[in-house]
Amino acid sequence: MPLHLLHNTTATEYPRRYGDIRDNSEWLRVLIRSYADELPAGAVFSHVSAALIHGLDPPYPATDSAEVVRPGFHRAKKTLRTRDRSLNSEELTHVGDLPVTTVGRTLVDLATDYPLEVSVPFISEALRRGLASHESLHSSIRSGTRGCRRAAQAFDLASPAHESSGEALCAVKFFRFNIIGMIPQVNTYDGAGAWIARNDFRHDKHPLIVEFHGVGKYYLNNAGPDRASSENHERHMKLLNAGYRVFNLVWADLFRAREFTKIRAAIAEFG
């Protein structure tokens, strides 16, 4: 379980240190662990804290506070946020010794209270890992309550086909920029029917492809970053020669408008 201290027989450093935005989540895990024995009666971990406890990875630092729900109490401290929420027994569970909302309730809370950029990657990961289904999530929405429309939108945008947080964020940005028709994880072939690649996103009508390049694609490749970069360039050229317009996005592109404005304009040019 992600928040338990590691077994004495392992030599793994805790918390892990990455030197990037993942360190925020590691320290949030430590903070959650520090509150484990101090929760008041009726309080259970929720939202991002619950997602971390269930082993889901945040797309980027969404909060630096531990989060709980507790009926009849609402308070926001620097390191602990308490929301006044009522829960039924089916929405509660334990992971190890930690009281926590179930995966389903956690995803509903995230979809209701956080922007799409936070909730959709969490939901997509849960769908991909088989921890939830679109049907169960949509049926959990409480119609007429605050945030119910945003939750429904988050569930619609999330997909098990998103293989990373970056791809899930791409889907959100397509929605934000009114880019319609981008299908995730599509096999692409040339004019002779030869397979070229499985692309992160391809337009359903026009020869336009969007690829997201996370750092892991290069540095977690068994053959090393040089080999991965060379293979990516070769694939890119094959796609261009087959008549596709290709947009290659990196993490920073997900947080600025320029590339998505270009994608929208390119689709418009096809008519």
Side-chain angles (χ1 to χ4, degrees), residues 221 223 225-237:
N221 186 284
D226 291 340
R227 174 67 176 276
S229 180
S230 176
E231 290 176 349
N232 182 67
H233 176 72
E234 181 180 356
R235 182 175 70 166
H236 179 79
M237 294 308 299

mmCIF file of all heavy atoms in Angstrom, residues 221 223 225-237:
data_model
loop_
_atom_site.group_PDB
_atom_site.id
_atom_site.type_symbol
_atom_site.label_atom_id
_atom_site.label_comp_id
_atom_site.label_asym_id
_atom_site.label_seq_id
_atom_site.Cartn_x
_atom_site.Cartn_y
_atom_site.Cartn_z
ATOM 1 N N ASN A 221 12.947 3.375 -21.799
ATOM 2 C CA ASN A 221 13.094 2.448 -22.911
ATOM 3 C C ASN A 221 14.299 1.551 -22.663
ATOM 4 O O ASN A 221 15.375 2.020 -22.299
ATOM 5 C CB ASN A 221 13.289 3.239 -24.219
ATOM 6 C CG ASN A 221 13.315 2.345 -25.440
ATOM 7 O OD1 ASN A 221 14.301 1.675 -25.705
ATOM 8 N ND2 ASN A 221 12.214 2.360 -26.177
ATOM 9 N N ALA A 223 16.286 0.092 -24.572
ATOM 10 C CA ALA A 223 17.442 0.340 -25.425
ATOM 11 C C ALA A 223 18.048 1.724 -25.208
ATOM 12 O O ALA A 223 19.040 2.072 -25.836
ATOM 13 C CB ALA A 223 17.048 0.175 -26.892
ATOM 14 N N PRO A 225 17.563 6.200 -24.393
ATOM 15 C CA PRO A 225 16.883 7.344 -25.020
ATOM 16 C C PRO A 225 17.266 7.559 -26.477
ATOM 17 O O PRO A 225 16.439 7.997 -27.266
ATOM 18 C CB PRO A 225 17.308 8.534 -24.142
ATOM 19 C CG PRO A 225 18.572 8.074 -23.471
ATOM 20 C CD PRO A 225 18.408 6.604 -23.251
ATOM 21 N N ASP A 226 18.513 7.288 -26.857
ATOM 22 C CA ASP A 226 18.924 7.511 -28.249
ATOM 23 C C ASP A 226 18.142 6.601 -29.190
ATOM 24 O O ASP A 226 17.683 7.030 -30.254
ATOM 25 C CB ASP A 226 20.427 7.275 -28.397
ATOM 26 C CG ASP A 226 21.245 8.334 -27.691
ATOM 27 O OD1 ASP A 226 20.702 9.417 -27.421
ATOM 28 O OD2 ASP A 226 22.425 8.078 -27.409
ATOM 29 N N ARG A 227 18.004 5.342 -28.821
ATOM 30 C CA ARG A 227 17.262 4.389 -29.652
ATOM 31 C C ARG A 227 15.795 4.803 -29.734
ATOM 32 O O ARG A 227 15.184 4.768 -30.815
ATOM 33 C CB ARG A 227 17.398 2.985 -29.058
ATOM 34 C CG ARG A 227 16.561 1.907 -29.745
ATOM 35 C CD ARG A 227 17.036 1.618 -31.162
ATOM 36 N NE ARG A 227 16.273 0.533 -31.758
ATOM 37 C CZ ARG A 227 16.537 -0.754 -31.578
ATOM 38 N NH1 ARG A 227 17.551 -1.118 -30.787
ATOM 39 N NH2 ARG A 227 15.809 -1.672 -32.152
ATOM 40 N N ALA A 228 15.214 5.170 -28.602
ATOM 41 C CA ALA A 228 13.807 5.557 -28.587
ATOM 42 C C ALA A 228 13.579 6.795 -29.440
ATOM 43 O O ALA A 228 12.590 6.881 -30.182
ATOM 44 C CB ALA A 228 13.350 5.818 -27.153
ATOM 45 N N SER A 229 14.494 7.764 -29.357
ATOM 46 C CA SER A 229 14.362 8.986 -30.153
ATOM 47 C C SER A 229 14.469 8.686 -31.631
ATOM 48 O O SER A 229 13.722 9.236 -32.450
ATOM 49 C CB SER A 229 15.432 9.993 -29.728
ATOM 50 O OG SER A 229 15.339 11.178 -30.483
ATOM 51 N N SER A 230 15.392 7.796 -31.998
ATOM 52 C CA SER A 230 15.565 7.429 -33.401
ATOM 53 C C SER A 230 14.321 6.733 -33.943
ATOM 54 O O SER A 230 13.865 7.029 -35.064
ATOM 55 C CB SER A 230 16.787 6.521 -33.546
ATOM 56 O OG SER A 230 16.933 6.079 -34.877
ATOM 57 N N GLU A 231 13.760 5.824 -33.156
ATOM 58 C CA GLU A 231 12.561 5.113 -33.587
ATOM 59 C C GLU A 231 11.388 6.071 -33.733
ATOM 60 O O GLU A 231 10.570 5.937 -34.651
ATOM 61 C CB GLU A 231 12.233 4.014 -32.590
ATOM 62 C CG GLU A 231 13.234 2.858 -32.608
ATOM 63 C CD GLU A 231 12.944 1.835 -31.536
ATOM 64 O OE1 GLU A 231 12.091 2.133 -30.645
ATOM 65 O OE2 GLU A 231 13.538 0.749 -31.562
ATOM 66 N N ASN A 232 11.299 7.033 -32.837
ATOM 67 C CA ASN A 232 10.220 8.001 -32.911
ATOM 68 C C ASN A 232 10.345 8.855 -34.169
ATOM 69 O O ASN A 232 9.347 9.144 -34.840
ATOM 70 C CB ASN A 232 10.226 8.889 -31.670
ATOM 71 C CG ASN A 232 9.085 9.893 -31.684
ATOM 72 O OD1 ASN A 232 7.924 9.531 -31.596
ATOM 73 N ND2 ASN A 232 9.426 11.176 -31.792
ATOM 74 N N HIS A 233 11.565 9.255 -34.507
ATOM 75 C CA HIS A 233 11.779 10.055 -35.719
ATOM 76 C C HIS A 233 11.407 9.249 -36.967
ATOM 77 O O HIS A 233 10.764 9.774 -37.891
ATOM 78 C CB HIS A 233 13.237 10.498 -35.803
ATOM 79 C CG HIS A 233 13.567 11.250 -37.055
ATOM 80 N ND1 HIS A 233 13.127 12.540 -37.290
ATOM 81 C CD2 HIS A 233 14.281 10.885 -38.161
ATOM 82 C CE1 HIS A 233 13.552 12.940 -38.470
ATOM 83 N NE2 HIS A 233 14.260 11.958 -39.022
ATOM 84 N N GLU A 234 11.791 7.981 -36.987
ATOM 85 C CA GLU A 234 11.469 7.133 -38.131
ATOM 86 C C GLU A 234 9.963 6.988 -38.299
ATOM 87 O O GLU A 234 9.434 7.066 -39.426
ATOM 88 C CB GLU A 234 12.099 5.752 -37.943
ATOM 89 C CG GLU A 234 11.847 4.795 -39.090
ATOM 90 C CD GLU A 234 12.477 3.435 -38.867
ATOM 91 O OE1 GLU A 234 13.185 3.271 -37.846
ATOM 92 O OE2 GLU A 234 12.251 2.540 -39.702
ATOM 93 N N ARG A 235 9.275 6.795 -37.191
ATOM 94 C CA ARG A 235 7.820 6.678 -37.253
ATOM 95 C C ARG A 235 7.190 7.980 -37.728
ATOM 96 O O ARG A 235 6.250 7.977 -38.535
ATOM 97 C CB ARG A 235 7.270 6.300 -35.873
ATOM 98 C CG ARG A 235 5.759 6.111 -35.861
ATOM 99 C CD ARG A 235 5.265 5.626 -34.533
ATOM 100 N NE ARG A 235 5.369 6.643 -33.491
ATOM 101 C CZ ARG A 235 4.758 6.542 -32.304
ATOM 102 N NH1 ARG A 235 4.047 5.470 -32.025
ATOM 103 N NH2 ARG A 235 4.890 7.493 -31.405
ATOM 104 N N HIS A 236 7.703 9.098 -37.228
ATOM 105 C CA HIS A 236 7.183 10.409 -37.619
ATOM 106 C C HIS A 236 7.310 10.606 -39.133
ATOM 107 O O HIS A 236 6.363 11.068 -39.788
ATOM 108 C CB HIS A 236 7.947 11.497 -36.871
ATOM 109 C CG HIS A 236 7.516 12.890 -37.214
ATOM 110 N ND1 HIS A 236 6.381 13.469 -36.691
ATOM 111 C CD2 HIS A 236 8.067 13.821 -38.041
ATOM 112 C CE1 HIS A 236 6.244 14.686 -37.172
ATOM 113 N NE2 HIS A 236 7.252 14.926 -37.983
ATOM 114 N N MET A 237 8.430 10.235 -39.688
ATOM 115 C CA MET A 237 8.641 10.411 -41.123
ATOM 116 C C MET A 237 7.707 9.511 -41.934
ATOM 117 O O MET A 237 7.195 9.907 -42.985
ATOM 118 C CB MET A 237 10.100 10.121 -41.483
ATOM 119 C CG MET A 237 11.095 11.111 -40.894
ATOM 120 S SD MET A 237 10.684 12.849 -41.257
ATOM 121 C CE MET A 237 10.759 12.832 -43.054
#
